[in-house]
Amino acid sequence: IYDFQTKREKQLTSGSLQKENPSWALNSLHLLYNTVGDSEGAIYMINLNEKESIRLPLEGGIHRFPSWS
């Protein structure tokens, strides 16, 4: 993310899997995204006040295109 006041970038994620399809919560504090690997597709959530993403416990299959409802 980019802070326009300080003009600095902050990396939110890490790891070797590709991250895509970010979806911001209405409160602008949480972000959902999915990872893509050879045999994996999972959805993660990150709170901007925390340092670690949380993998959401979804059953079976490859999960992509997260959204808030």
Side-chain angles (χ1 to χ4, degrees):
I1 59 173
Y2 185 78
D3 185 326
F4 286 94
Q5 290 179 335
T6 63
K7 298 181 180 177
R8 292 187 164 189
E9 293 180 358
K10 177 182 176 184
Q11 183 172 332
L12 296 178
T13 63
S14 62
S16 62
L17 293 176
Q18 180 176 330
K19 287 90 174 154
E20 50 184 45
N21 304 309
S23 177
W24 285 100
L26 292 176
N27 66 8
S28 298
L29 183 62
H30 295 86
L31 178 70
L32 294 175
Y33 63 91
N34 69 272
T35 58
V36 177
D38 291 336
S39 62
E40 178 185 341
I43 295 181
Y44 289 78
M45 179 177 70
I46 189 164
N47 177 329
L48 296 185
N49 293 324
E50 303 291 329
K51 293 185 179 190
E52 297 293 322
S53 297
I54 299 169
R55 183 178 176 159
L56 300 182
L58 302 172
E59 296 294 322
I62 296 176
H63 303 283
R64 297 182 71 191
F65 306 105
S67 65
W68 298 89
S69 58

Coordinates of all heavy atoms in Angstrom, one line a residue:
I1 N 0.8 -1.2 0.0 CA 0.0 0.0 0.0 C 0.9 1.2 0.0 O 2.1 1.2 0.3 CB -1.0 0.0 1.2 CG1 -0.2 0.0 2.5 CG2 -2.0 -1.1 1.1 CD1 -1.1 0.1 3.7
Y2 N 0.3 2.3 -0.4 CA 1.1 3.6 -0.5 C 0.5 4.6 0.4 O -0.7 4.9 0.4 CB 1.1 4.1 -1.9 CG 1.9 5.3 -2.2 CD1 3.3 5.2 -2.3 CD2 1.3 6.6 -2.2 CE1 4.1 6.3 -2.5 CE2 2.1 7.7 -2.4 CZ 3.5 7.5 -2.6 OH 4.3 8.6 -2.8
D3 N 1.3 5.2 1.2 CA 0.9 6.3 2.2 C 1.2 7.6 1.5 O 2.4 8.0 1.3 CB 1.7 6.2 3.5 CG 1.2 7.2 4.5 OD1 0.8 8.3 4.1 OD2 1.2 6.8 5.7
F4 N 0.2 8.3 1.1 CA 0.4 9.6 0.4 C 1.0 10.7 1.2 O 1.6 11.6 0.7 CB -1.0 10.1 -0.2 CG -1.4 9.3 -1.4 CD1 -2.2 8.2 -1.3 CD2 -0.9 9.6 -2.7 CE1 -2.6 7.4 -2.4 CE2 -1.2 8.8 -3.8 CZ -2.1 7.8 -3.7
Q5 N 0.8 10.6 2.5 CA 1.3 11.7 3.4 C 2.8 11.5 3.6 O 3.6 12.5 3.5 CB 0.6 11.6 4.8 CG -0.8 12.1 4.7 CD -1.5 12.0 6.0 OE1 -1.1 11.3 6.9 NE2 -2.5 12.8 6.2
T6 N 3.3 10.2 3.8 CA 4.7 10.0 4.0 C 5.4 9.7 2.7 O 6.7 9.6 2.7 CB 4.9 8.9 5.0 OG1 4.4 7.6 4.4 CG2 4.3 9.1 6.3
K7 N 4.7 9.4 1.6 CA 5.2 9.1 0.3 C 6.0 7.8 0.4 O 7.1 7.7 -0.2 CB 6.0 10.2 -0.3 CG 5.1 11.4 -0.5 CD 5.9 12.5 -1.2 CE 5.0 13.7 -1.4 NZ 5.6 14.9 -1.9
R8 N 5.5 6.8 1.2 CA 6.2 5.5 1.4 C 5.3 4.4 1.1 O 4.1 4.5 1.3 CB 6.7 5.4 2.8 CG 7.8 6.3 3.1 CD 8.4 6.0 4.5 NE 9.7 6.7 4.6 CZ 10.5 6.6 5.5 NH1 10.3 5.7 6.5 NH2 11.7 7.2 5.6
E9 N 5.9 3.3 0.6 CA 5.2 2.1 0.3 C 5.4 1.1 1.5 O 6.4 1.1 2.1 CB 5.7 1.4 -1.0 CG 5.4 2.2 -2.2 CD 6.0 1.5 -3.5 OE1 6.6 0.4 -3.3 OE2 5.8 2.0 -4.6
K10 N 4.4 0.3 1.7 CA 4.4 -0.8 2.7 C 4.0 -2.1 2.1 O 2.9 -2.2 1.5 CB 3.5 -0.4 3.9 CG 3.5 -1.5 4.9 CD 2.5 -1.1 6.1 CE 2.4 -2.2 7.1 NZ 1.4 -1.9 8.1
Q11 N 4.9 -3.1 2.1 CA 4.5 -4.4 1.6 C 3.7 -5.1 2.6 O 4.0 -5.2 3.8 CB 5.8 -5.2 1.3 CG 5.5 -6.5 0.7 CD 6.7 -7.3 0.2 OE1 7.7 -6.6 -0.1 NE2 6.7 -8.6 0.2
L12 N 2.5 -5.7 2.1 CA 1.6 -6.4 3.0 C 1.8 -7.9 3.1 O 1.5 -8.5 4.1 CB 0.2 -6.1 2.6 CG -0.3 -4.6 2.7 CD1 -1.7 -4.5 2.2 CD2 -0.2 -4.1 4.1
T13 N 2.3 -8.5 2.0 CA 2.3 -9.9 2.0 C 3.8 -10.4 1.7 O 4.6 -9.6 1.3 CB 1.4 -10.5 0.8 OG1 1.9 -10.0 -0.4 CG2 0.0 -10.1 1.1
S14 N 4.0 -11.7 1.9 CA 5.3 -12.3 1.6 C 5.1 -13.7 1.2 O 4.0 -14.2 1.2 CB 6.2 -12.2 2.8 OG 5.7 -12.9 3.9
G15 N 6.1 -14.4 0.8 CA 6.0 -15.8 0.4 C 6.2 -16.0 -1.1 O 6.1 -15.0 -1.8
S16 N 6.3 -17.2 -1.5 CA 6.6 -17.5 -2.9 C 5.4 -17.6 -3.8 O 5.5 -17.5 -5.0 CB 7.4 -18.8 -3.0 OG 6.6 -19.9 -2.4
L17 N 4.2 -17.8 -3.2 CA 3.0 -18.0 -4.0 C 2.5 -16.6 -4.6 O 2.7 -15.6 -3.9 CB 1.9 -18.6 -3.2 CG 2.0 -20.1 -2.8 CD1 0.9 -20.5 -1.9 CD2 2.2 -21.0 -4.0
Q18 N 2.0 -16.7 -5.8 CA 1.5 -15.4 -6.4 C 0.2 -15.0 -5.7 O -0.6 -15.8 -5.3 CB 1.2 -15.7 -7.9 CG 0.6 -14.5 -8.6 CD 0.5 -14.8 -10.1 OE1 1.2 -15.7 -10.6 NE2 -0.5 -14.2 -10.7
K19 N 0.1 -13.7 -5.4 CA -1.1 -13.2 -4.8 C -1.9 -12.4 -5.8 O -1.3 -11.6 -6.6 CB -0.8 -12.3 -3.6 CG -0.3 -13.0 -2.4 CD 1.2 -13.1 -2.5 CE 1.8 -13.7 -1.2 NZ 3.0 -14.4 -1.5
E20 N -3.2 -12.5 -5.8 CA -4.0 -11.8 -6.7 C -5.4 -11.5 -6.2 O -5.8 -12.0 -5.2 CB -4.1 -12.5 -8.1 CG -4.4 -13.9 -8.0 CD -4.4 -14.6 -9.4 OE1 -3.4 -14.4 -10.2 OE2 -5.3 -15.3 -9.7
N21 N -6.2 -10.7 -7.0 CA -7.6 -10.4 -6.7 C -7.9 -9.8 -5.4 O -8.7 -10.3 -4.6 CB -8.5 -11.7 -6.9 CG -8.3 -12.3 -8.3 OD1 -8.4 -11.5 -9.3 ND2 -8.0 -13.5 -8.4
P22 N -7.2 -8.7 -5.0 CA -7.4 -8.1 -3.7 C -8.8 -7.5 -3.6 O -9.3 -7.0 -4.6 CB -6.4 -7.0 -3.6 CG -6.1 -6.7 -5.1 CD -6.2 -8.0 -5.8
S23 N -9.4 -7.6 -2.4 CA -10.7 -7.0 -2.2 C -10.7 -6.4 -0.8 O -10.5 -7.0 0.2 CB -11.8 -8.2 -2.2 OG -13.0 -7.7 -1.9
W24 N -10.9 -5.0 -0.8 CA -10.9 -4.3 0.4 C -12.2 -4.3 1.1 O -13.3 -4.3 0.5 CB -10.6 -2.8 0.2 CG -9.1 -2.5 -0.2 CD1 -8.6 -2.4 -1.4 CD2 -8.0 -2.4 0.7 NE1 -7.3 -2.2 -1.3 CE2 -6.9 -2.2 0.0 CE3 -7.9 -2.5 2.1 CZ2 -5.6 -2.1 0.5 CZ3 -6.7 -2.4 2.7 CH2 -5.5 -2.1 1.9
A25 N -12.2 -4.4 2.5 CA -13.4 -4.3 3.3 C -13.9 -2.9 3.3 O -13.1 -2.0 3.1 CB -13.1 -4.8 4.7
L26 N -15.1 -2.7 3.6 CA -15.7 -1.3 3.6 C -15.0 -0.5 4.7 O -14.9 0.8 4.5 CB -17.2 -1.4 3.9 CG -18.0 -2.0 2.8 CD1 -19.5 -2.0 3.2 CD2 -17.9 -1.2 1.5
N27 N -14.4 -1.1 5.7 CA -13.7 -0.3 6.8 C -12.3 0.1 6.4 O -11.6 0.7 7.1 CB -13.7 -1.0 8.1 CG -12.9 -2.3 8.1 OD1 -12.2 -2.6 7.1 ND2 -13.0 -3.1 9.1
S28 N -11.8 -0.4 5.2 CA -10.5 -0.1 4.7 C -9.4 -0.6 5.6 O -8.2 -0.2 5.5 CB -10.3 1.4 4.4 OG -11.2 1.8 3.4
L29 N -9.7 -1.5 6.5 CA -8.7 -2.0 7.5 C -8.4 -3.5 7.2 O -7.3 -3.9 7.5 CB -9.3 -1.9 8.9 CG -8.4 -2.4 10.0 CD1 -7.2 -1.5 10.1 CD2 -9.2 -2.3 11.3
H30 N -9.2 -4.2 6.4 CA -9.0 -5.6 6.1 C -9.0 -5.8 4.6 O -9.6 -5.1 3.8 CB -10.1 -6.5 6.7 CG -10.1 -6.4 8.2 ND1 -10.8 -5.5 8.9 CD2 -9.6 -7.3 9.1 CE1 -10.7 -5.7 10.2 NE2 -9.9 -6.8 10.3
L31 N -8.2 -6.7 4.2 CA -8.0 -7.0 2.8 C -8.1 -8.5 2.6 O -7.4 -9.3 3.3 CB -6.6 -6.5 2.3 CG -6.2 -6.8 0.8 CD1 -7.1 -5.9 -0.1 CD2 -4.8 -6.4 0.6
L32 N -8.8 -9.0 1.6 CA -8.9 -10.4 1.2 C -8.1 -10.5 -0.1 O -8.1 -9.6 -0.9 CB -10.3 -10.9 0.9 CG -11.3 -10.9 2.1 CD1 -12.7 -11.3 1.5 CD2 -10.8 -11.9 3.1
Y33 N -7.4 -11.6 -0.3 CA -6.7 -11.9 -1.6 C -6.6 -13.4 -1.7 O -6.8 -14.2 -0.7 CB -5.4 -11.3 -1.6 CG -4.4 -11.7 -0.6 CD1 -3.5 -12.8 -0.9 CD2 -4.3 -11.1 0.6 CE1 -2.6 -13.3 0.1 CE2 -3.4 -11.6 1.6 CZ -2.5 -12.6 1.3 OH -1.6 -13.1 2.2
N34 N -6.4 -13.9 -2.9 CA -6.1 -15.3 -3.1 C -4.7 -15.6 -3.6 O -4.1 -14.7 -4.1 CB -7.2 -16.0 -4.0 CG -7.0 -15.5 -5.5 OD1 -7.6 -14.6 -5.9 ND2 -6.3 -16.3 -6.2
T35 N -4.2 -16.8 -3.2 CA -2.9 -17.2 -3.7 C -3.1 -18.2 -4.8 O -4.1 -18.8 -4.9 CB -2.1 -17.8 -2.6 OG1 -2.8 -19.0 -2.1 CG2 -1.8 -16.8 -1.5
V36 N -2.1 -18.3 -5.7 CA -2.1 -19.2 -6.8 C -0.8 -20.0 -6.8 O 0.3 -19.4 -6.8 CB -2.3 -18.5 -8.1 CG1 -2.2 -19.5 -9.3 CG2 -3.6 -17.7 -8.2
G37 N -0.9 -21.3 -6.8 CA 0.3 -22.2 -6.9 C -0.1 -23.3 -7.9 O -1.1 -23.4 -8.4
D38 N 0.9 -24.3 -8.0 CA 0.6 -25.4 -9.0 C -0.6 -26.2 -8.6 O -1.4 -26.6 -9.5 CB 1.9 -26.3 -9.0 CG 3.1 -25.6 -9.7 OD1 2.8 -24.7 -10.5 OD2 4.2 -26.0 -9.4
S39 N -0.8 -26.4 -7.3 CA -1.9 -27.3 -6.9 C -2.7 -26.6 -5.8 O -3.4 -27.3 -5.0 CB -1.4 -28.7 -6.5 OG -0.6 -28.5 -5.4
E40 N -2.6 -25.3 -5.6 CA -3.2 -24.7 -4.5 C -3.8 -23.3 -4.9 O -3.3 -22.6 -5.7 CB -2.2 -24.4 -3.4 CG -2.8 -23.7 -2.2 CD -1.7 -23.3 -1.1 OE1 -0.6 -23.9 -1.1 OE2 -2.0 -22.4 -0.3
G41 N -4.9 -23.0 -4.3 CA -5.6 -21.7 -4.4 C -6.3 -21.5 -3.1 O -7.3 -22.2 -2.8
A42 N -5.9 -20.6 -2.3 CA -6.4 -20.3 -1.0 C -6.8 -18.8 -0.9 O -6.2 -18.0 -1.6 CB -5.5 -20.8 0.1
I43 N -7.7 -18.5 0.0 CA -8.0 -17.2 0.3 C -7.5 -16.8 1.7 O -7.6 -17.5 2.6 CB -9.6 -17.0 0.2 CG1 -10.0 -17.2 -1.2 CG2 -9.9 -15.6 0.7 CD1 -11.5 -17.1 -1.4
Y44 N -6.9 -15.6 1.7 CA -6.3 -15.1 2.9 C -6.9 -13.7 3.3 O -7.4 -13.0 2.4 CB -4.8 -14.9 2.7 CG -4.0 -16.1 2.7 CD1 -3.9 -16.9 1.5 CD2 -3.3 -16.6 3.8 CE1 -3.2 -18.1 1.5 CE2 -2.5 -17.8 3.7 CZ -2.5 -18.5 2.6 OH -1.8 -19.7 2.5
M45 N -6.8 -13.4 4.6 CA -7.3 -12.1 5.0 C -6.1 -11.5 5.8 O -5.5 -12.1 6.6 CB -8.5 -12.2 5.9 CG -9.0 -10.9 6.5 SD -10.5 -11.0 7.5 CE -9.8 -11.8 8.9
I46 N -6.0 -10.2 5.6 CA -5.0 -9.4 6.4 C -5.6 -8.2 7.0 O -6.4 -7.5 6.4 CB -3.7 -9.1 5.5 CG1 -2.6 -8.5 6.4 CG2 -4.1 -8.1 4.4 CD1 -1.3 -8.5 5.7
N47 N -5.3 -8.0 8.3 CA -5.7 -6.8 9.0 C -4.5 -5.9 8.9 O -3.3 -6.2 9.2 CB -6.0 -7.2 10.5 CG -6.3 -6.0 11.3 OD1 -5.8 -4.8 11.1 ND2 -7.2 -6.2 12.3
L48 N -4.7 -4.6 8.5 CA -3.5 -3.7 8.3 C -2.8 -3.4 9.6 O -1.7 -2.9 9.5 CB -4.0 -2.4 7.6 CG -4.6 -2.6 6.2 CD1 -4.9 -1.2 5.6 CD2 -3.6 -3.4 5.3
N49 N -3.4 -3.7 10.7 CA -2.7 -3.5 12.0 C -1.9 -4.7 12.5 O -1.3 -4.6 13.5 CB -3.7 -3.1 13.1 CG -4.3 -1.7 12.8 OD1 -3.7 -0.8 12.3 ND2 -5.6 -1.6 13.1
E50 N -2.0 -5.8 11.7 CA -1.3 -7.0 12.1 C -0.2 -7.3 11.0 O -0.2 -6.7 9.9 CB -2.2 -8.2 12.1 CG -3.4 -8.0 13.1 CD -3.0 -8.0 14.5 OE1 -2.0 -8.7 14.8 OE2 -3.7 -7.4 15.3
K51 N 0.8 -8.1 11.4 CA 1.8 -8.4 10.4 C 1.6 -9.7 9.6 O 2.3 -9.9 8.6 CB 3.2 -8.5 11.2 CG 3.6 -7.2 11.8 CD 4.9 -7.3 12.4 CE 5.3 -6.0 13.0 NZ 6.7 -5.9 13.4
E52 N 0.7 -10.5 10.0 CA 0.6 -11.8 9.4 C -0.8 -11.9 8.7 O -1.8 -11.5 9.3 CB 0.7 -13.0 10.4 CG 2.1 -13.1 11.0 CD 3.2 -13.5 10.0 OE1 2.9 -14.3 9.1 OE2 4.3 -13.0 10.1
S53 N -0.9 -12.6 7.6 CA -2.1 -12.9 6.9 C -2.7 -14.2 7.6 O -1.9 -15.0 8.0 CB -1.9 -13.2 5.4 OG -1.5 -12.0 4.8
I54 N -4.0 -14.3 7.5 CA -4.7 -15.5 8.0 C -5.3 -16.3 6.9 O -6.1 -15.7 6.1 CB -5.8 -15.1 9.0 CG1 -5.1 -14.4 10.2 CG2 -6.5 -16.3 9.5 CD1 -6.2 -13.7 11.1
R55 N -5.0 -17.5 6.7 CA -5.6 -18.3 5.7 C -7.0 -18.7 6.2 O -7.2 -19.3 7.3 CB -4.8 -19.6 5.4 CG -5.4 -20.5 4.3 CD -4.5 -21.7 4.1 NE -5.2 -22.5 3.1 CZ -4.5 -23.4 2.3 NH1 -3.3 -23.5 2.5 NH2 -5.2 -24.1 1.4
L56 N -8.0 -18.4 5.4 CA -9.4 -18.8 5.7 C -9.6 -20.3 5.6 O -9.2 -20.8 4.5 CB -10.3 -17.9 4.9 CG -10.2 -16.4 5.0 CD1 -11.3 -15.7 4.2 CD2 -10.3 -16.0 6.5
P57 N -10.3 -20.9 6.5 CA -10.5 -22.3 6.5 C -11.7 -22.7 5.6 O -12.8 -22.9 6.0 CB -10.8 -22.7 8.0 CG -11.4 -21.4 8.5 CD -10.8 -20.3 7.8
L58 N -11.4 -22.8 4.3 CA -12.4 -23.2 3.3 C -12.2 -24.6 2.9 O -11.1 -25.1 2.8 CB -12.3 -22.2 2.1 CG -12.5 -20.7 2.4 CD1 -12.2 -19.9 1.2 CD2 -13.9 -20.5 3.0
E59 N -13.3 -25.3 2.7 CA -13.2 -26.7 2.3 C -12.9 -27.0 0.9 O -13.4 -26.3 0.0 CB -14.6 -27.4 2.7 CG -14.9 -27.4 4.1 CD -14.0 -28.3 5.0 OE1 -13.6 -29.3 4.5 OE2 -13.7 -27.9 6.1
G60 N -12.0 -27.9 0.6 CA -11.7 -28.5 -0.7 C -11.7 -27.5 -1.9 O -12.3 -26.5 -1.9
G61 N -10.9 -27.9 -2.9 CA -10.9 -27.2 -4.1 C -9.9 -26.0 -4.1 O -9.2 -25.7 -3.1
I62 N -9.9 -25.3 -5.2 CA -9.1 -24.1 -5.4 C -10.0 -22.9 -5.3 O -11.1 -22.8 -5.9 CB -8.4 -24.1 -6.8 CG1 -7.4 -25.3 -6.8 CG2 -7.7 -22.8 -7.0 CD1 -6.7 -25.5 -8.1
H63 N -9.7 -22.0 -4.4 CA -10.5 -20.8 -4.1 C -9.9 -19.6 -4.7 O -8.7 -19.3 -4.5 CB -10.7 -20.7 -2.6 CG -11.3 -21.9 -2.0 ND1 -12.6 -22.2 -2.1 CD2 -10.7 -22.9 -1.3 CE1 -12.8 -23.3 -1.5 NE2 -11.7 -23.8 -1.0
R64 N -10.7 -18.8 -5.4 CA -10.2 -17.6 -6.0 C -11.3 -16.5 -6.0 O -12.4 -16.8 -5.7 CB -9.8 -17.8 -7.5 CG -8.6 -18.8 -7.6 CD -8.2 -19.0 -9.0 NE -7.5 -17.8 -9.5 CZ -7.3 -17.6 -10.8 NH1 -7.5 -18.5 -11.7 NH2 -6.7 -16.5 -11.2
F65 N -10.9 -15.3 -6.3 CA -11.8 -14.2 -6.4 C -12.6 -13.9 -5.1 O -13.8 -13.9 -5.1 CB -12.8 -14.3 -7.6 CG -12.1 -14.6 -8.9 CD1 -12.1 -15.8 -9.5 CD2 -11.4 -13.6 -9.5 CE1 -11.4 -16.1 -10.6 CE2 -10.7 -13.8 -10.7 CZ -10.7 -15.1 -11.3
P66 N -11.9 -13.6 -4.0 CA -12.6 -13.3 -2.8 C -13.4 -11.9 -2.9 O -13.0 -11.1 -3.6 CB -11.5 -13.2 -1.8 CG -10.3 -12.7 -2.6 CD -10.5 -13.4 -3.9
S67 N -14.5 -11.8 -2.1 CA -15.2 -10.6 -2.0 C -15.9 -10.5 -0.7 O -16.1 -11.5 0.0 CB -16.2 -10.5 -3.2 OG -17.2 -11.5 -3.0
W68 N -16.3 -9.3 -0.3 CA -17.0 -9.1 1.0 C -18.5 -9.0 0.7 O -18.9 -8.5 -0.4 CB -16.5 -7.8 1.6 CG -15.1 -7.8 1.9 CD1 -14.0 -7.4 1.1 CD2 -14.5 -8.2 3.2 NE1 -12.8 -7.5 1.8 CE2 -13.1 -8.0 3.1 CE3 -15.0 -8.7 4.4 CZ2 -12.2 -8.3 4.1 CZ3 -14.2 -9.0 5.4 CH2 -12.8 -8.8 5.3
S69 N -19.3 -9.5 1.6 CA -20.7 -9.4 1.4 C -21.4 -8.9 2.6 O -20.8 -8.8 3.6 CB -21.3 -10.8 1.0 OG -21.1 -11.7 2.0

